[in-house]
């Protein structure tokens, strides 16, 4: 046994000395550092500074005032010029209001002013010099909106703004004339008031974004007769809405939100770049057998006292543990870098996922450990596949090309075949069963057509078959 361990140690030393190994490790580390640096810069540059926003409004006010001065310089007014003068007065009044109250961009006050106050102010000023009877009749309506907006601003009453929006949309017939749609928006208003969801577009208002997604899913399902959604799409929207309801009810922010959960968003993004690690695995696995065939160094090993199956196993174990080591480095480096920048508080929070149509949760740190385990299992499957290709073709380049194509095509098929008619075909492919992370995801479309036990069993069976075939070919191949 000690001789076998020395053989494994010898394989590790050879692997560490390979130029391709050093370059691959350097590329992985640089990719992780570069990704974290990019996310850090993008977070720092996101959002508009309030001072810049106020400067923009001051410039807009100056332009409106200049336009007003030019219009008043005419000695004879035409009807069109008079109306332009009234519109300029409305713009000046609105920009004065934004600056005096220091209105924040994308806040509910800003939305209310731009979507309701400004149009009503313009229409009200136009009604002072009416062209039609309708403009006279609407003057009182627009004046009521102006007064109501000013009252809501003075009282800082976003709830009143939400109710006003719903009332005006009902009055103006802005909701789709489909049974059930109005009820959806009434339910959304109740949820907004109950869960304190401020109707603004600020970057950190994840509740409003989730509520908008919730309403959109409900409306799409309501008008399904016209757009013909698939069963999976309807199920996915129901699953998403279940998660949204739970988050809004418990105040649990989404773990992939770049603003409210930058730590988890960064970790998930970097882990999604695991294809870099897969390329490393493909390269070292192909070099382990096929590389030694082409270099002629395998002959020295097979003529040693070690039996061929031990040589094969030593190389296989070396590939597995070296890949696990790189995965650990990638995992820890990502967590530490993002944690130092954004804090580690998110590790103790809940991660939500759906299993058998039931919403479940786990600590996010456990979720990360699962992600690590899933990557490790998928990595071992990749090593077994590349070992099989190496023993069949005796060419590391050919094994690398085929392995890369296999990985790329498998991902493309899973991404671009969402139609239900393809689900039966997808089940025949091994890689459809290799996405273990799908069992701890709110995305029900990621290959969850079998139980976790069935998927693991299929992966284990495929691993044993590929390993056995690879070993059998290796034992019988002539090495000169």
């Amino acid at each position: 046994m000690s001789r076998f361990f020395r053989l494994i140690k010898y394989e590790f030393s050879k692997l560490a000395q390979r130029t391709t190994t050093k370059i691959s490790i350097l590329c992985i580390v640089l990719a992780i550092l570069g990704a974290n640096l990019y996310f850090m810069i993008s977070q720092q540059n996101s959002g508009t500074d309030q001072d810049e926003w106020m400067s923009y409004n001051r410039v807009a006010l100056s332009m409106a005032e200049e336009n007003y001065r030019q219009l008043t310089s005419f000695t004879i007014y035409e009807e069109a010029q008079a109306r332009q003068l009234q519109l300029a007065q409305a713009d000046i009044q609105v920009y004065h209001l934004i600056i005096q109250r220091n209105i924040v961009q994308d806040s509910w006050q800003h939305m209310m002013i731009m979507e309701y106050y400004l149009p009503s102010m313009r229409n009200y000023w136009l009604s002072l010099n009416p062209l039609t009877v309708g403009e006279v009749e609407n003057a009182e309506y627009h004046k009521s909106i102006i007064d109501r907006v000013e009252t809501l601003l003075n009282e800082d009453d976003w709830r009143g703004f939400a109710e006003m929006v719903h009332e005006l949309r009902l009055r103006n017939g802005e909701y789709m004339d489909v049974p059930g749609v109005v009820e959806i928006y009434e339910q959304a208003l109740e949820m907004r008031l109950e869960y304190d969801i401020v109707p603004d577009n600020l970057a950190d208002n994840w509740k409003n974004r989730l509520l908008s997604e919730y309403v959109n899913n409900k409306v799409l399902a309501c008008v399904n007769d016209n757009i013909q959604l698939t069963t999976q799409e309807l199920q996915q929207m129901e699953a998403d809405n279940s998660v949204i309801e739970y988050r809004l009810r418990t105040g649990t922010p989404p773990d992939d939100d770049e603003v409210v959960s930058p730590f988890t968003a960064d970790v998930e993004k970097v882990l999604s770049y695991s294809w870099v690690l897969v390329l490393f695995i493909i390269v070292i696995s192909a070099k382990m057998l096929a590389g030694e065939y082409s270099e002629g160094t395998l002959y020295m090993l097979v003529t040693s006292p070690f039996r061929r199956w031990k040589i094969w196993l030593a190389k296989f174990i070396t590939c597995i543990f070296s890949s696990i080591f790189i995965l650990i480095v990638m995992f820890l480096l990502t967590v530490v870098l993002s944690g130092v920048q954004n804090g580690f508080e998110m590790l103790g929070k809940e991660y939500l996922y759906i299993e058998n149509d039931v919403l479940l949760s786990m600590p996010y740190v456990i979720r990360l450990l699962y992600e690590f385990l899933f990557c490790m299992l998928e990595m071992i499957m990749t090593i077994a596949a590349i070992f099989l290709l190496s023993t069949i073709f005796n060419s590391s380049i050919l094994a690398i090309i085929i392995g890369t194509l296999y990985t790329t095509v498998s991902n493309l098929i899973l991404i671009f075949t969402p139609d239900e008619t393809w689900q039966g075909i997808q089940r025949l492919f091994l890689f459809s069963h290799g996405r273990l992370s799908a069992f701890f995801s709110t995305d029900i479309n990621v290959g969850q057509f079998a139980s976790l036990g069935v998927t693991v069993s299929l992966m284990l069976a495929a691993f044993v078959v590929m390993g056995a075939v690879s070993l059998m070919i290796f034992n019988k191949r002539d090495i000169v």
Side-chain angles (χ1 to χ4, degrees):
M1 183 62 70
S2 61
R3 293 174 59 193
F4 179 67
F5 282 123
R6 285 200 297 271
L7 177 60
I8 295 176
K9 182 179 178 181
Y10 170 71
E11 292 294 338
F12 267 111
S13 63
K14 282 201 306 181
L15 179 64
Q17 292 171 5
R18 289 181 182 273
T19 305
T20 53
T21 303
K22 297 176 182 178
I23 294 175
S24 300
I25 294 176
L26 179 62
C27 289
I28 291 174
V29 173
L30 290 177
I32 296 172
L33 292 174
N36 277 280
L37 180 62
Y38 170 77
F39 298 143
M40 179 181 66
I41 294 174
S42 62
Q43 288 170 12
Q44 290 177 347
N45 292 338
S46 62
T48 302
D49 185 80
Q50 181 66 8
D51 292 337
E52 294 179 1
W53 165 240
M54 283 293 107
S55 297
Y56 164 79
N57 283 286
R58 292 189 186 95
V59 171
L61 174 61
S62 299
M63 293 175 64
E65 290 175 338
E66 178 62 27
N67 184 37
Y68 179 79
R69 282 193 294 269
Q70 290 179 1
L71 290 170
T72 55
S73 64
F74 292 101
T75 56
I76 301 176
Y77 288 100
E78 295 181 358
E79 191 173 84
Q81 292 171 331
R83 293 174 69 83
Q84 288 295 322
L85 183 65
Q86 290 157 355
L87 291 176
Q89 288 176 309
D91 291 343
I92 291 172
Q93 192 165 345
V94 167
Y95 286 120
H96 268 300
L97 182 65
I98 293 175
I99 295 171
Q100 289 172 357
R101 293 180 179 269
N102 196 29
I103 300 297
V104 177
Q105 186 180 20
D106 292 330
S107 63
W108 69 269
Q109 295 97 330
H110 177 223
M111 294 170 60
M112 182 171 63
I113 289 173
M114 301 309 295
E115 294 179 17
Y116 296 96
Y117 189 76
L118 178 58
S120 294
M121 183 65 71
R122 286 180 169 181
N123 287 317
Y124 176 72
W125 277 99
L126 289 176
S127 67
L128 299 180
N129 185 28
L131 291 179
T132 65
V133 177
E135 290 184 356
V136 179
E137 294 175 348
N138 288 331
E140 185 176 346
Y141 165 71
H142 292 302
K143 185 64 169 67
S144 67
I145 293 179
I146 293 171
D147 294 339
R148 189 170 181 181
V149 168
E150 291 176 348
T151 301
L152 293 174
L153 287 173
N154 291 330
E155 297 177 356
D156 197 23
D157 183 11
W158 66 262
R159 295 172 180 270
F161 169 56
E163 293 171 344
M164 182 188 77
V165 170
H166 182 62
E167 292 173 10
L168 293 178
R169 286 179 177 174
L170 280 176
R171 178 188 183 277
N172 300 328
E174 296 182 22
Y175 295 133
M176 285 186 289
D177 188 17
V178 177
V181 170
V182 173
E183 288 75 9
I184 292 173
Y185 283 97
E186 289 176 346
Q187 179 192 3
L189 178 60
E190 293 175 0
M191 293 175 64
R192 183 181 296 281
L193 299 178
E194 180 180 357
Y195 301 136
D196 294 328
I197 305 175
V198 181
D200 61 39
N201 291 325
L202 296 178
D204 59 350
N205 190 357
W206 58 269
K207 289 185 177 181
N208 194 55
R209 290 194 293 275
L210 289 185
L211 183 60
S212 298
E213 181 182 346
Y214 179 89
V215 172
N216 185 60
N217 289 339
K218 286 278 191 179
V219 172
L220 287 176
C222 192
V223 299
N224 186 39
D225 292 339
N226 297 325
I227 59 178
Q228 297 297 317
L229 295 172
T230 64
T231 302
Q232 273 196 337
E233 288 172 331
L234 290 172
Q235 291 175 346
Q236 182 63 61
M237 288 191 297
E238 291 178 4
D240 291 341
N241 278 356
S242 297
V243 175
I244 290 173
E245 286 182 14
Y246 177 85
R247 292 192 184 280
L248 294 178
R249 185 174 64 254
T250 60
T252 305
D255 44 57
D256 59 347
D257 192 291
E258 298 183 12
V259 177
V260 298
S261 305
F263 172 80
T264 55
D266 287 358
V267 172
E268 292 293 334
K269 283 180 181 177
V270 175
L271 288 180
S272 68
Y273 292 158
S274 57
W275 57 268
V276 179
L277 181 61
V278 172
L279 292 179
F280 167 76
I281 294 169
I282 290 175
V283 170
I284 66 168
S285 300
K287 288 289 186 180
M288 269 291 178
L289 284 178
E292 296 215 22
Y293 276 123
S294 58
E295 294 170 3
T297 55
L298 193 59
Y299 177 77
M300 295 174 19
L301 277 177
V302 297
T303 56
S304 66
F306 296 104
R307 301 182 65 178
R308 285 199 179 190
W309 71 267
K310 286 189 175 181
I311 296 174
W312 181 91
L313 184 60
K315 290 181 176 296
F316 192 77
I317 291 174
T318 301
C319 279
I320 290 177
F321 279 94
S322 59
S323 300
I324 291 176
F325 172 75
I326 298 299
L327 180 60
I328 292 174
V329 172
M330 175 181 175
F331 181 81
L332 292 179
L333 189 60
T334 300
V335 172
V336 170
L337 287 176
S338 187
V340 168
Q341 179 189 351
N342 304 303
F344 295 92
E345 296 81 5
M346 195 64 193
L347 288 175
K349 295 187 177 180
E350 287 185 311
Y351 173 80
L352 303 180
Y353 65 99
I354 292 177
E355 183 176 335
N356 298 325
D357 297 327
V358 178
L359 181 63
L360 303 174
S361 65
M362 67 174 70
Y364 186 74
V365 64
I366 303 298
R367 160 76 173 87
L368 286 179
L369 293 177
Y370 271 119
E371 188 76 25
F372 174 80
L373 178 62
F374 297 152
C375 286
M376 186 175 67
L377 293 177
E378 294 170 13
M379 198 170 53
I380 294 174
M381 290 293 296
T382 303
I383 292 173
I386 298 302
F387 256 63
L388 177 59
L389 292 172
S390 298
T391 52
I392 291 175
F393 297 108
N394 263 7
S395 170
S396 59
I397 295 178
L398 192 57
I400 291 172
I401 293 175
I402 295 176
T404 304
L405 286 175
Y406 170 83
T407 304
T408 304
V409 171
S410 66
N411 281 280
L412 291 177
I413 289 178
L414 287 176
I415 292 172
F416 293 108
T417 57
D419 196 325
E420 290 173 313
T421 58
W422 284 93
Q423 295 306 309
I425 297 177
Q426 285 185 342
R427 299 178 193 186
L428 301 176
F429 289 90
L430 171 64
F431 50 73
S432 296
H433 293 270
R435 303 302 181 84
L436 296 179
S437 56
F439 292 94
F440 297 92
S441 171
T442 57
D443 187 357
I444 65 175
N445 291 328
V446 192
Q448 288 196 40
F449 45 76
S451 65
L452 182 60
V454 171
T455 297
V456 172
S457 299
L458 287 171
M459 291 181 66
L460 181 61
F463 171 77
V464 171
V465 169
M466 288 189 293
V469 173
S470 174
L471 180 58
M472 181 181 65
I473 296 174
F474 181 73
N475 279 330
K476 293 185 177 181
R477 185 177 294 279
D478 291 333
I479 300 174
V480 293

